[in-house]
């Protein structure tokens, strides 16, 4: 029986794990979310100890295929997966949902990093911040701005005085996003180009509200890594 390790707790990773009859699937979650949605099959929680640790794990568990289905911004894990694949000869595929694209009426500023996003904010902005709890310190340094920071889990204390944390898990609705924009008088959205439908409602709401969006671009995949943008293609690759 073919053995595959799927890295990541994304919706695509869970869908792929459920689509592989006759394959022994192990899904690896980083363990950073307190109550993750678990995929079917065997689950590994926690890290591997870098590329060397992952390579050793692949050998020990006789893995035949490796899929990097981590979040598009999990740059360090993607680099470790590429290096471990090189070290072991285990074929690697990156499963990445397509990124978002501007539509008529959108007002986006694309930037290469979180720090650039923080610098791009206008003075006195009231910001809808959806880049994850770990990014809060980067933005909170803008003492002239106020932030509604939405995340699944609470950030590490102390929370800066100019940041209000909203704990919530998607999917979100356009009506719900409009309500947040009105209630908190938000005037700019900051987000990462994560792609997918689960959190896209904020982009629709921003467009309809005439609100500008600061969009942080994805980091590139490691050089030479093959990629697929849908679960069906990844499933064929694993079973082929």
């Amino acid at each position: 029986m073919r053995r595959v390790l799927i890295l990541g707790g994304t919706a695509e990773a869970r869908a792929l794990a459920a689509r592989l009859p006759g394959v022994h699937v192990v899904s690896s979650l980083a363990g950073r979310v307190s109550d993750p949605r678990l995929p079917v099959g065997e689950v590994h929680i926690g890290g591997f100890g870098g590329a060397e640790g992952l390579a050793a794990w692949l050998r020990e568990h006789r893995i035949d295929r490796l899929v990097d289905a981590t979040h598009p911004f999990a740059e360090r894990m993607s680099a470790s997966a590429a290096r471990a694949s090189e070290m072991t000869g285990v074929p690697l595929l990156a499963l990445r949902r397509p990124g978002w694209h501007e539509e008529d009426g959108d007002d986006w500023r694309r930037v290469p990093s979180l720090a650039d996003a923080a610098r791009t904010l206008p003075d006195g902005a009231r910001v809808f911040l959806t880049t994850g709890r770990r990014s809060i310190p980067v933005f909170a340094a803008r003492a002239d701005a106020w932030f509604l920071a939405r995340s699944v889990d609470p950030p590490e204390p102390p929370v800066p005085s100019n940041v209000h944390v909203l704990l919530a898990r998607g999917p979100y609705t356009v009506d719900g996003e409009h309500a947040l924009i009105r209630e908190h008088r938000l005037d700019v959205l900051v987000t990462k180009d994560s792609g997918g439908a689960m959190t896209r409602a904020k982009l629709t709401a921003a467009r309809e509200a005439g609100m500008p969006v600061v969009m942080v671009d994805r980091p590139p995949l490691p050089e030479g890594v093959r990629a697929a943008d849908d679960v069906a293609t990844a499933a064929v690759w694993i079973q082929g």
Side-chain angles (χ1 to χ4, degrees), residues 27-180:
S27 297
S28 173
L29 309 183
R32 293 176 181 168
V33 177
S34 61
D35 185 24
R37 293 169 175 159
L38 297 178
V40 299
E42 185 178 341
V43 177
H44 171 90
I45 302 289
F48 295 93
E52 291 76 13
L54 177 56
W57 198 96
L58 295 174
R59 295 188 187 101
E60 178 183 354
H61 293 268
R62 305 186 309 281
I63 297 299
D64 302 299
R65 295 284 189 276
L66 176 62
V67 178
D68 173 14
T70 57
H71 190 277
F73 285 81
E75 193 171 5
R76 183 178 300 177
M77 189 67 243
S78 293
S80 291
R83 179 62 182 142
S85 174
E86 291 177 357
M87 295 169 66
T88 60
V90 175
L92 169 65
L93 179 75
L95 174 56
R96 291 288 187 273
R97 70 185 76 126
W100 289 317
H101 298 285
E102 291 179 75
E103 300 181 11
D104 289 343
D106 281 331
D107 180 12
W108 289 8
R109 284 85 161 157
R110 285 194 173 270
V111 294
S113 70
L114 294 170
D116 286 301
R119 286 190 289 268
T120 298
L121 296 174
D123 294 341
R126 295 183 64 84
V127 183
F128 191 8
L129 184 62
T130 64
T131 53
R133 59 191 170 117
R134 296 173 185 271
S135 71
I136 288 175
V138 176
F139 291 92
R142 284 289 305 265
D144 62 303
W146 184 88
F147 299 89
L148 176 67
R150 183 165 65 192
S151 64
V152 175
D153 289 316
E156 294 293 328
V159 176
S161 60
N162 61 333
V163 176
H164 175 75
V165 177
L166 173 64
L167 299 182
R169 187 198 297 266
Y172 307 104
T173 67
V174 175
D175 286 345
E177 304 295 56
H178 272 302
L180 288 177

